[in-house]
Amino acid sequence: MKNDEFVTIPGNWNFNFNYFAGESASRFFRELRENRRIMGTRTQEGGRVLVPARAFDDETMEPTDDWVAVGPEGTLETFTIITAAFPGLPEPPLVMGYVTLDGADTALINFIHGVDLSDINAAAKSLSKLPRVKVEFIDNPQGRITDFSFRLV
Amino acid sequence: MKSAAIIGVGQTGYRRSHPDKSSRELIWQAARLALEDAGVGIDGIDVILAGVAPDGLSGENSVERTGMLGRRKPFLRVNTGGVTGSSTVFAALSYINSGRAKAVLVVGLERMGQATSSQQVFNTIFDPIYEKDFPLTTITMAALRASMLMRLYGYTERHWAEIASRSFRNALRNPLAHLRKDISPEDVLASQLLAWPIHRFEACPMSEGACAMVIVAPEHVGDRRPAWVQGAASITDSYAMGDRIHRPGATLVDLLSLRLAAGKAYGQAGITRPRDELRVAELYSAFSSAEAMAYPALGFCAPEDGPAFVEAQFTDSRLPVFNPSGGPQGANPVSATAMVRIAECALQVRGLAGERQVADVERAVATGQGGATQFSTVCVLGRRPVH
C-alpha cells in the first residue's frame, strides 16, 4: 500500500422492521380495508377532526376517541410535482399533495392522479388553483395507507 | 438567562466526503482547533457534549462512542435532527447557567459522505405508519411549502433562484465551504427540476465535516475575545404538517416554532427592532423557501412583503447580511449545520471571519430548523454581555 492511500471499508445496513401501528392507526387501516372509508378522530369535547386518525390531540394531550367518517371528496391544499427519480421511490413524474377531506380539520398526504403532466408549468398553475379531489380506492384494499389515493374531480 | 461566552471555534471545513479521515479523526481535528482558539487544554473542560443526528446517515450505530473525547468527564450525545448542532450548544448553556460547569466543549459531526444511499435514509425520517410509503424527502417536503408560499405571497421561481445564488456567491469567500461555485440565478433556474418548484441548485448539498466550540461562564473568558450569548431559545411544534394547514395564525408556512423562539431570544437580548439591531443572520435554510419562511418569523418583514424583501437585499446595504458564510447552500453537514450557524455568528461578532467578515457586527442571529420544522432554535450573539 502506498503511503498516501486511504482505505475504504464497504458496509451495508439491511435490517428488517415490523412497525407497530398502534390502536388508532390499526382501526384506521381496518376501516380502509373493510369499509373503504377514511376515518378521523376528535376529542369527545368536539375538538378538531384529525385525519388520519390519531390517539390524542397534541394541542391538548386529550384522547381523541370520537370516530368520524370524512370525505370522500376534499380540497387540495398544497402540492409538489416530483420530476426527478430518487432511488427507492416511485418513478416520476407524479403529484403528491396535502388534501383536506370534507369534514376534516387537518390535511393528509397522498398521490394526486388525473393531472395532465405533459407540461409541468401548466400543471403547476392549474394545481395552484387548489382543485377538488376525490378518494379513489385500489381494487383489493390491504389495510395500508396506500389503499387509496386522490383523483381530480 | 445568565451570561455565557463562546471563546473557541474549530471547524474541519466541509466537503462531500473526507475519505482521508475517520469519524474520530474528524471530530478530534475540530475539537483541537476549538481548544487552541480558546487557549485551554482538555483538562480545562468540565463537560463534553456531542451532537450527531440520524445514525443511518453515517452507518455507525454508536456515534456516542465516536463523539467521546477526553477522559474522566461527563459526556452526553444529543440528537434532535436538523437542530442537533444548536441543541448541543443549548445543552452546554444549561450546564453553564445552572453552575454545573464552567467550561464545556461541544462537538458536532456529520459523516454522511459514508452513506451511498442518503436519500433513502432521509425517507426513513418520516412517520413509518402513515407517511413512509410516499416520496417524502427533505426535498419534496420543502417543495410542498415552496408552492404554498408562491400561491399565498407571490414568490416566483426567480426569487428562489436569487436567494440560492446569493448564498453560493457568499460561499466563494468562505474557504470552509463545500460548494464554492459562482452560480447565477439563471444557472439555478436552468438546473434540473427535482420537485416543482425546487431545482437542483436550490437544494443544499450533502456535506460532511465537524464543528466544535468552547463555551464558558463569564469569569472564565480571561483574555480571550468572546462572542457573548445574549439570547437562546428552543421551541417545538406539532410534527404533523397536515395539522398545520388550517391552524389559525400559524399555518404550514408560518414557522410558529421559529417565531416563538425568536420572541424569547430577542426578549433575553433586549432586541426590539431585529432588522436594525442584527447585522448578520446565519439561517438554517437548507432551501430558499426555508429562508423565506424565516423572514417574518424572525421579525424582518411581514409575510406578504417577503418577495420585496428578497429584492431589497440586493440594493439596501442597511439590511442584515444573510448567510455571509454561504449558509447551508455552501455546506450542509446536517448534524453540525445548526452548530455551524452559531459558530459563524461567533466568528462574525469576534471579528475573526476572515474574507467573509461583515463590517461592524455588534450582534448576529443564528437559527436552527429540524425535522418537519417541529424543532426551531434561535441564538443571539453579541460583542457585549447582556446586563
Side-chain angles (χ1 to χ4, degrees):
Chain A
M1 197 197 309
K2 284 186 285 180
N3 285 337
D4 60 351
E5 193 177 297
F6 298 108
V7 172
T8 302
I9 300 164
N12 171 258
W13 279 13
N14 184 16
F15 305 140
N16 297 318
F17 298 91
N18 283 317
Y19 297 109
F20 301 128
E23 288 179 34
S24 54
S26 294
R27 175 163 169 191
F28 177 85
F29 291 137
R30 267 198 316 275
E31 293 280 358
L32 292 182
R33 191 182 63 221
E34 289 159 24
N35 303 316
R36 294 181 178 235
R37 58 179 185 174
I38 316 283
M39 300 292 282
T41 52
R42 66 179 165 196
T43 57
Q44 293 288 358
E45 290 74 38
R48 53 193 187 139
V49 176
L50 302 172
V51 179
R54 251 66 62 73
F56 66 98
D57 185 326
D58 68 3
E59 286 282 351
T60 61
M61 293 290 281
E62 294 298 317
T64 49
D65 38 22
D66 188 15
W67 286 72
V68 188
V70 295
E73 289 196 9
T75 306
L76 180 66
E77 301 289 352
T78 191
F79 67 94
T80 179
I81 307 169
I82 298 161
T83 50
F86 292 104
L89 297 178
E91 277 299 302
L94 39 93
V95 182
M96 179 173 70
Y98 275 102
V99 166
T100 307
L101 288 168
D102 296 343
D105 289 307
T106 67
L108 82 165
I109 199 157
N110 211 309
F111 295 110
I112 319 288
H113 298 301
V115 184
D116 176 5
L117 295 173
S118 55
D119 177 340
I120 298 295
N121 284 321
K125 202 171 170 189
S126 109
L127 289 166
S128 296
K129 292 178 187 152
L130 308 186
R132 294 282 291 170
V133 298
K134 61 172 189 262
V135 172
E136 187 175 68
F137 274 89
I138 60 171
D139 288 341
N140 291 303
Q142 304 295 309
R144 292 282 307 276
I145 197 74
T146 43
D147 283 351
F148 70 97
S149 56
F150 301 116
R151 181 167 290 277
L152 295 185
V153 171
Chain B
M1 192 173 99
K2 289 188 201 162
S3 283
I6 297 167
I7 60 165
V9 173
Q11 302 186 72
T12 56
Y14 308 100
R15 293 187 225 149
R16 178 68 188 91
S17 65
H18 290 266
D20 55 327
K21 296 231 169 17
S22 73
S23 305
R24 294 272 298 146
E25 287 167 349
L26 270 180
I27 220 162
W28 171 64
Q29 185 188 347
R32 273 181 49 121
L33 289 168
L35 291 167
E36 202 174 287
D37 185 17
V40 299
I42 193 75
D43 291 343
I45 297 293
D46 301 319
V47 177
I48 295 159
L49 303 175
V52 192
D55 295 2
L57 282 178
S58 63
E60 296 180 29
N61 206 11
S62 175
V63 279
E64 44 277 12
R65 161 192 58 78
T66 307
M68 211 186 87
L69 291 164
R71 296 179 200 182
R72 297 181 290 275
K73 297 185 194 296
F75 173 84
L76 276 180
R77 178 212 175 171
V78 176
N79 176 5
T80 45
V83 294
T84 293
S86 46
S87 293
T88 309
V89 172
F90 286 19
L93 297 176
S94 296
Y95 268 99
I96 290 166
N97 293 337
S98 67
R100 292 180 65 202
K102 298 291 184 200
V104 181
L105 173 65
V106 294
V107 289
L109 170 74
E110 182 52 62
R111 191 81 259 215
M112 66 191 295
Q114 293 185 161
T116 49
S117 321
S118 46
Q119 281 302 330
Q120 278 162 285
V121 179
F122 275 127
N123 182 242
T124 68
I125 67 179
F126 293 91
D127 173 33
I129 296 158
Y130 286 139
E131 294 179 339
K132 85 166 175 60
D133 296 298
F134 302 116
L136 271 167
T137 62
T138 50
I139 294 166
T140 57
M141 180 172 67
L144 286 161
R145 286 173 156 153
S147 69
M148 197 166 162
L149 285 164
M150 292 165 83
R151 182 173 60 78
L152 289 176
Y153 304 129
Y155 282 101
T156 62
E157 287 175 86
R158 177 90 200 169
H159 289 113
W160 306 144
E162 281 178 0
I163 292 171
S165 168
R166 181 218 59 213
S167 290
F168 283 126
R169 287 173 168 168
N170 286 349
L172 290 171
R173 291 189 296 276
N174 180 3
L176 300 171
H178 162 193
L179 273 189
R180 301 182 70 204
K181 283 186 193 152
D182 186 357
I183 294 173
S184 68
E186 291 71 28
D187 294 332
V188 178
L189 289 171
S191 65
Q192 187 192 8
L193 185 66
L194 299 177
W196 191 91
I198 310 269
H199 291 80
R200 176 169 297 283
F201 285 163
E202 197 223 296
C204 56
M206 295 183 285
S207 321
E208 59 171 38
C211 178
M213 291 194 281
V214 175
I215 307 172
V216 297
E219 60 273 27
H220 290 259
V221 169
D223 62 352
R224 313 314 288 185
R225 201 189 308 185
W228 291 95
V229 180
Q230 298 189 340
S234 166
I235 299 284
T236 63
D237 194 0
S238 170
Y239 163 75
M241 287 187 285
D243 289 12
R244 299 185 229 163
I245 297 261
H246 297 283
R247 189 167 57 181
T251 71
L252 183 58
V253 291
D254 298 307
L255 295 180
L256 177 66
S257 52
L258 191 67
R259 190 207 302 164
L260 296 175
K264 277 181 85 169
Y266 289 173
Q268 292 160 6
I271 288 174
T272 53
R273 294 170 292 113
R275 198 164 152 156
D276 303 321
E277 294 171 293
L278 293 162
R279 188 73 199 105
V280 160
E282 278 284 345
L283 304 181
Y284 194 122
S285 48
F287 295 88
S288 302
S289 48
E291 177 168 326
M293 288 190 291
Y295 299 147
L298 294 171
F300 291 128
C301 68
E304 59 275 20
D305 296 333
F309 187 74
V310 174
E311 289 152 26
Q313 284 174 40
F314 295 93
T315 53
D316 187 348
S317 60
R318 293 166 305 174
L319 290 179
V321 179
F322 289 94
N323 289 348
S325 69
Q329 245 82 25
N332 189 35
V334 180
S335 305
T337 299
M339 189 184 292
V340 175
R341 305 279 70 74
I342 296 173
E344 285 292 328
C345 283
L347 293 173
Q348 289 286 348
V349 300
R350 295 167 77 206
L352 298 174
E355 223 189 312
R356 60 194 183 283
Q357 180 69 48
V358 175
D360 304 319
V361 182
E362 179 66 32
R363 287 202 276 210
V365 65
T367 67
Q369 300 270 208
T373 67
Q374 76 267 26
F375 300 128
S376 288
T377 61
V378 173
C379 185
V380 177
L381 299 182
R383 282 190 197 167
R384 283 169 263 275
V386 175
H387 295 293

